[in-house]
Amino acid sequence: MQNREELLKAIEASEKEIEAIEQKRLRSQSSILEAYVDKREPDEGDVGYFRVLSGLIKLERERLRTLKDELEMLK
């Protein structure tokens, strides 16, 4: 179990990581949306990139929940 200060730093880092990945995902999301608006198939690379980044966000959110649960247990 980590101490309170380490947990707070890890939580902050996790939140920043989620934000950074979400920004990267927005680029591919925009490309995919543009393809649908133009009534064409989106580029498979963009779709794959979007899925990978979405998976990373999901994993990081799970990690963040775990960290917050650990912090709550210290109270």
Side-chain angles (χ1 to χ4, degrees), residues 14-63:
S14 182
E15 289 171 342
K16 286 181 181 181
E17 181 66 17
I18 290 169
E19 188 174 314
I21 297 170
E22 285 175 340
Q23 285 297 318
K24 291 177 185 177
R25 185 176 68 168
L26 278 175
R27 294 180 197 132
S28 59
Q29 185 177 9
S30 296
S31 179
I32 292 167
L33 182 60
E34 180 181 1
Y36 283 117
V37 168
D38 292 345
K39 296 181 180 163
R40 60 180 171 80
E41 284 294 314
D43 181 70
E44 283 300 316
D46 289 330
V47 172
Y49 196 60
F50 179 83
R51 287 182 177 147
V52 167
L53 292 173
S54 294
L56 290 173
I57 290 168
K58 181 180 177 183
L59 289 173
E60 192 63 35
R61 285 182 179 154
E62 289 172 7
R63 179 175 173 264

